[in-house]
Amino acid sequence: MTTSVMPDTSSQFNRRWARLLLETLTRHGVGHICIAPGSRSTPLTLAAAEHPSILCHTHFDERGLGHLALGLAKATRRPVAVIVTSGTAAANLYPAVIEASLTGEKLIMLTADRPPELIDCGANQAIRQPGLFAGFAVQRVDLPRPTPDIPAGWLVSTLDRALADPAPGAVHINCPFAEPLYGADDTGREDPWSRTLGDWWQGNDPWLKLPGTAAPASEPDWASWRGRKGVVIAGRIPCEQGARLAEWAAELGWPLIGDVLSQTGQPLPYADLWLAHPDARQVLRQAELVVQFGGSLTGKRLLQWQEQCRPAEYWLVDPLPGRLDPAHHRGRRISAPIGAWLDHHPAIAQAPWAASLAGYAGLARARIEAALGDGLGEAQLACRLNDLLPADGRLFLGNSLTIRLVDALAQLPAGYPVYGNRGASGIDGLLSTAAGVQRADDRPLLALVGDLSALYDLNALALFRRTTAPVVIVVVNNNGGQIFSLLPTPEAVRERFYVMPQQVEFRHAAALFGLDYAQPDTPAGLRACVRRAWSRPGGGAATLLELKVQPHEGADVFRQLVSGMARP
């Protein structure tokens, strides 16, 4: 006697389809999913909420949600998924998709959609979503309307193929669901459709396994190149490789010029100042080989030297695809993980050939100390940032003047995790990204952003109402986008159309979202506020510290220091 199986209703099969989709994501390393509220995405949301291996994060702002996922992906170095409903909710993910395409985080954008018969006919909240992210998504999967006529093996293997693509960046999976979207839970019912996958459900592997990335090859002439005069440029690289790269360069006797995101400890700090010194540039002209690790260089003088240098060869090592060299040097573009590449290219102990560069870095340090004094401005904050860092924590740096001052005036500890959005270098989603970084592993976080950046992502303060570890957000309020003070535009035009002073105080924003707030006005007061924050247990609200500084002071000090180094 056979047991009859009642057919699924549309809402029940939508749930089965979504469960299989979410289970497939976990087989590719997804452990975090960021979810915004919406009706059309209900099957996906319910599947994520019931999955035992998925940690769900929620936010009401889809633009911030995408950046929250970006921060999680940066810090975990694993793929992170996002679930949103249809219409402009999906479009708000675009900035995070663009950033991931440039910095390599793997995001999986699950955009719920109306079925085809509701597109281009005036239906509510229905837009053309296939191809929404154009060339910024490395893979695109336009799923059909869920139906048991499509084998479960087709769905899981289609997803496997897209998710196994080694290319970094975002994967867009568009998921149309027809109504009804709500119905009784069918977990206990017999499910012939899902059962066709057999014992796959009891394992942890993908249904369709695809070949992985090959190990990097050794440069055949490395043995001869390593004995010549080389220079190492360190851009954005993983924190565990920063100290190792610095040791590798030191053993070779090669100067290392490290970006603020290099996490190398910047053995020759303040490069954006001392590279303005003509004698320092004269020393570097002797370089026969320049090896750059990672992209996204911050300092203007470093970018200028990188563009103008003419060694015999220029090598650029980074796991991301593409040229990553805006100066278009003749040389080698080596796509490989930095640690694996160093394994294949051992150093040999040699005396430094450009030891005099340390003297120029020392000169820059002396001039910084003489120029800054004892006050509390944004230049002083950047220079003494190390005094505020939490033990075993993380640092997130905003864009524009903030990161440029830290890059030029600070020397951060080797191997200390430093994060930023330096792909497209926008100010959208900075606080949301910082929230994702903190949630990745519950370590204390110091985030430093400007006032316009904070205003642009003000909704993200809701993500800091309850944190699992102490968080300090420092908002440097210089009353506008003072990075534009460095532009040679007429002052009246500059203030109105570029700097855009807003005359705001963040005390009210902190109160709105229930955050602790202080406005220290001395270095000692700032240090005391930060110490109190680090001593508090996790589980409470973040601390927002607002530094009200003179509008042009930071840019003026920076300009004067660069000018002084250029005239020895």
mmCIF file of all heavy atoms in Angstrom, residues 321-342:
data_model
loop_
_atom_site.group_PDB
_atom_site.id
_atom_site.type_symbol
_atom_site.label_atom_id
_atom_site.label_comp_id
_atom_site.label_asym_id
_atom_site.label_seq_id
_atom_site.Cartn_x
_atom_site.Cartn_y
_atom_site.Cartn_z
ATOM 1 N N PRO A 321 42.038 40.230 -9.373
ATOM 2 C CA PRO A 321 42.326 40.307 -10.811
ATOM 3 C C PRO A 321 42.512 41.759 -11.240
ATOM 4 O O PRO A 321 42.285 42.699 -10.473
ATOM 5 C CB PRO A 321 41.081 39.697 -11.445
ATOM 6 C CG PRO A 321 39.985 40.023 -10.473
ATOM 7 C CD PRO A 321 40.613 39.948 -9.100
ATOM 8 N N GLY A 322 42.891 41.944 -12.480
ATOM 9 C CA GLY A 322 43.024 43.298 -13.028
ATOM 10 C C GLY A 322 44.423 43.848 -12.881
ATOM 11 O O GLY A 322 45.284 43.278 -12.212
ATOM 12 N N ARG A 323 44.661 45.009 -13.491
ATOM 13 C CA ARG A 323 46.008 45.593 -13.499
ATOM 14 C C ARG A 323 46.388 46.196 -12.163
ATOM 15 O O ARG A 323 47.511 46.050 -11.695
ATOM 16 C CB ARG A 323 46.114 46.638 -14.608
ATOM 17 C CG ARG A 323 46.147 46.017 -16.000
ATOM 18 C CD ARG A 323 46.138 47.084 -17.075
ATOM 19 N NE ARG A 323 44.820 47.721 -17.179
ATOM 20 C CZ ARG A 323 44.559 48.720 -18.018
ATOM 21 N NH1 ARG A 323 45.523 49.198 -18.787
ATOM 22 N NH2 ARG A 323 43.358 49.230 -18.097
ATOM 23 N N LEU A 324 45.496 46.958 -11.534
ATOM 24 C CA LEU A 324 45.724 47.589 -10.222
ATOM 25 C C LEU A 324 46.884 48.567 -10.223
ATOM 26 O O LEU A 324 47.409 48.913 -9.158
ATOM 27 C CB LEU A 324 45.943 46.534 -9.124
ATOM 28 C CG LEU A 324 44.837 45.491 -8.937
ATOM 29 C CD1 LEU A 324 45.159 44.590 -7.752
ATOM 30 C CD2 LEU A 324 43.479 46.139 -8.765
ATOM 31 N N ASP A 325 47.307 49.000 -11.377
ATOM 32 C CA ASP A 325 48.439 49.919 -11.487
ATOM 33 C C ASP A 325 48.044 51.077 -12.396
ATOM 34 O O ASP A 325 48.161 50.989 -13.619
ATOM 35 C CB ASP A 325 49.662 49.184 -12.051
ATOM 36 C CG ASP A 325 50.847 50.116 -12.315
ATOM 37 O OD1 ASP A 325 50.853 51.243 -11.761
ATOM 38 O OD2 ASP A 325 51.758 49.725 -13.065
ATOM 39 N N PRO A 326 47.579 52.181 -11.821
ATOM 40 C CA PRO A 326 47.149 53.302 -12.662
ATOM 41 C C PRO A 326 48.282 53.949 -13.436
ATOM 42 O O PRO A 326 48.023 54.715 -14.374
ATOM 43 C CB PRO A 326 46.534 54.290 -11.655
ATOM 44 C CG PRO A 326 47.127 53.933 -10.340
ATOM 45 C CD PRO A 326 47.366 52.455 -10.384
ATOM 46 N N ALA A 327 49.546 53.649 -13.067
ATOM 47 C CA ALA A 327 50.683 54.214 -13.797
ATOM 48 C C ALA A 327 51.109 53.350 -14.983
ATOM 49 O O ALA A 327 51.954 53.772 -15.785
ATOM 50 C CB ALA A 327 51.872 54.405 -12.853
ATOM 51 N N HIS A 328 50.560 52.143 -15.105
ATOM 52 C CA HIS A 328 50.800 51.273 -16.271
ATOM 53 C C HIS A 328 52.287 50.981 -16.482
ATOM 54 O O HIS A 328 52.823 51.131 -17.587
ATOM 55 C CB HIS A 328 50.199 51.898 -17.542
ATOM 56 C CG HIS A 328 48.794 52.373 -17.361
ATOM 57 N ND1 HIS A 328 47.739 51.537 -17.072
ATOM 58 C CD2 HIS A 328 48.270 53.630 -17.404
ATOM 59 C CE1 HIS A 328 46.627 52.240 -16.952
ATOM 60 N NE2 HIS A 328 46.912 53.510 -17.141
ATOM 61 N N HIS A 329 52.958 50.536 -15.432
ATOM 62 C CA HIS A 329 54.379 50.210 -15.549
ATOM 63 C C HIS A 329 54.601 48.969 -16.407
ATOM 64 O O HIS A 329 53.746 48.080 -16.483
ATOM 65 C CB HIS A 329 54.984 49.948 -14.167
ATOM 66 C CG HIS A 329 55.137 51.171 -13.325
ATOM 67 N ND1 HIS A 329 54.201 51.545 -12.393
ATOM 68 C CD2 HIS A 329 56.122 52.101 -13.274
ATOM 69 C CE1 HIS A 329 54.601 52.657 -11.796
ATOM 70 N NE2 HIS A 329 55.761 53.012 -12.307
ATOM 71 N N ARG A 330 55.767 48.934 -16.975
ATOM 72 C CA ARG A 330 56.204 47.703 -17.634
ATOM 73 C C ARG A 330 56.703 46.749 -16.552
ATOM 74 O O ARG A 330 57.474 47.130 -15.675
ATOM 75 C CB ARG A 330 57.340 48.009 -18.614
ATOM 76 C CG ARG A 330 57.880 46.770 -19.303
ATOM 77 C CD ARG A 330 59.001 47.114 -20.259
ATOM 78 N NE ARG A 330 59.502 45.945 -20.950
ATOM 79 C CZ ARG A 330 60.469 45.959 -21.857
ATOM 80 N NH1 ARG A 330 61.045 47.124 -22.185
ATOM 81 N NH2 ARG A 330 60.853 44.855 -22.448
ATOM 82 N N GLY A 331 56.228 45.525 -16.583
ATOM 83 C CA GLY A 331 56.665 44.590 -15.554
ATOM 84 C C GLY A 331 55.796 43.357 -15.507
ATOM 85 O O GLY A 331 55.396 42.822 -16.543
ATOM 86 N N ARG A 332 55.438 42.932 -14.292
ATOM 87 C CA ARG A 332 54.713 41.685 -14.117
ATOM 88 C C ARG A 332 53.517 41.909 -13.181
ATOM 89 O O ARG A 332 53.677 42.482 -12.109
ATOM 90 C CB ARG A 332 55.624 40.601 -13.528
ATOM 91 C CG ARG A 332 56.909 40.425 -14.306
ATOM 92 C CD ARG A 332 57.835 39.380 -13.714
ATOM 93 N NE ARG A 332 59.162 39.471 -14.319
ATOM 94 C CZ ARG A 332 60.183 38.661 -14.053
ATOM 95 N NH1 ARG A 332 60.034 37.675 -13.169
ATOM 96 N NH2 ARG A 332 61.351 38.837 -14.650
ATOM 97 N N ARG A 333 52.358 41.459 -13.602
ATOM 98 C CA ARG A 333 51.168 41.482 -12.766
ATOM 99 C C ARG A 333 50.950 40.060 -12.273
ATOM 100 O O ARG A 333 50.577 39.168 -13.036
ATOM 101 C CB ARG A 333 49.969 41.981 -13.563
ATOM 102 C CG ARG A 333 48.647 41.909 -12.813
ATOM 103 C CD ARG A 333 48.639 42.807 -11.569
ATOM 104 N NE ARG A 333 47.369 42.713 -10.867
ATOM 105 C CZ ARG A 333 47.119 41.864 -9.873
ATOM 106 N NH1 ARG A 333 48.063 41.011 -9.467
ATOM 107 N NH2 ARG A 333 45.945 41.855 -9.284
ATOM 108 N N ILE A 334 51.193 39.824 -10.985
ATOM 109 C CA ILE A 334 51.195 38.488 -10.402
ATOM 110 C C ILE A 334 49.955 38.340 -9.532
ATOM 111 O O ILE A 334 49.838 38.978 -8.485
ATOM 112 C CB ILE A 334 52.472 38.260 -9.576
ATOM 113 C CG1 ILE A 334 53.715 38.461 -10.464
ATOM 114 C CG2 ILE A 334 52.460 36.882 -8.939
ATOM 115 C CD1 ILE A 334 55.001 38.642 -9.690
ATOM 116 N N SER A 335 49.004 37.537 -9.985
ATOM 117 C CA SER A 335 47.767 37.326 -9.234
ATOM 118 C C SER A 335 47.951 36.123 -8.329
ATOM 119 O O SER A 335 47.899 34.970 -8.771
ATOM 120 C CB SER A 335 46.600 37.105 -10.203
ATOM 121 O OG SER A 335 45.390 36.999 -9.487
ATOM 122 N N ALA A 336 48.193 36.403 -7.051
ATOM 123 C CA ALA A 336 48.469 35.329 -6.093
ATOM 124 C C ALA A 336 48.252 35.849 -4.678
ATOM 125 O O ALA A 336 48.456 37.029 -4.408
ATOM 126 C CB ALA A 336 49.917 34.842 -6.241
ATOM 127 N N PRO A 337 47.851 34.972 -3.760
ATOM 128 C CA PRO A 337 47.805 35.370 -2.358
ATOM 129 C C PRO A 337 49.196 35.768 -1.878
ATOM 130 O O PRO A 337 50.195 35.119 -2.225
ATOM 131 C CB PRO A 337 47.307 34.109 -1.644
ATOM 132 C CG PRO A 337 46.645 33.297 -2.704
ATOM 133 C CD PRO A 337 47.387 33.595 -3.971
ATOM 134 N N ILE A 338 49.269 36.815 -1.098
ATOM 135 C CA ILE A 338 50.575 37.367 -0.737
ATOM 136 C C ILE A 338 51.385 36.380 0.095
ATOM 137 O O ILE A 338 52.583 36.191 -0.140
ATOM 138 C CB ILE A 338 50.385 38.710 -0.009
ATOM 139 C CG1 ILE A 338 49.883 39.752 -1.014
ATOM 140 C CG2 ILE A 338 51.682 39.184 0.644
ATOM 141 C CD1 ILE A 338 49.382 41.028 -0.411
ATOM 142 N N GLY A 339 50.759 35.721 1.054
ATOM 143 C CA GLY A 339 51.494 34.763 1.871
ATOM 144 C C GLY A 339 52.060 33.628 1.051
ATOM 145 O O GLY A 339 53.219 33.226 1.234
ATOM 146 N N ALA A 340 51.255 33.096 0.127
ATOM 147 C CA ALA A 340 51.731 31.997 -0.716
ATOM 148 C C ALA A 340 52.863 32.457 -1.620
ATOM 149 O O ALA A 340 53.831 31.715 -1.862
ATOM 150 C CB ALA A 340 50.571 31.448 -1.545
ATOM 151 N N TRP A 341 52.774 33.703 -2.114
ATOM 152 C CA TRP A 341 53.840 34.209 -2.979
ATOM 153 C C TRP A 341 55.144 34.360 -2.200
ATOM 154 O O TRP A 341 56.222 34.012 -2.699
ATOM 155 C CB TRP A 341 53.443 35.546 -3.596
ATOM 156 C CG TRP A 341 54.342 35.956 -4.725
ATOM 157 C CD1 TRP A 341 54.206 35.620 -6.037
ATOM 158 C CD2 TRP A 341 55.526 36.756 -4.637
ATOM 159 N NE1 TRP A 341 55.229 36.168 -6.788
ATOM 160 C CE2 TRP A 341 56.051 36.868 -5.939
ATOM 161 C CE3 TRP A 341 56.185 37.385 -3.592
ATOM 162 C CZ2 TRP A 341 57.215 37.582 -6.229
ATOM 163 C CZ3 TRP A 341 57.345 38.110 -3.862
ATOM 164 C CH2 TRP A 341 57.845 38.207 -5.163
ATOM 165 N N LEU A 342 55.063 34.847 -0.972
ATOM 166 C CA LEU A 342 56.277 34.962 -0.160
ATOM 167 C C LEU A 342 56.879 33.591 0.127
ATOM 168 O O LEU A 342 58.110 33.451 0.195
ATOM 169 C CB LEU A 342 55.964 35.682 1.152
ATOM 170 C CG LEU A 342 55.587 37.168 1.035
ATOM 171 C CD1 LEU A 342 55.183 37.720 2.405
ATOM 172 C CD2 LEU A 342 56.730 37.983 0.454
#
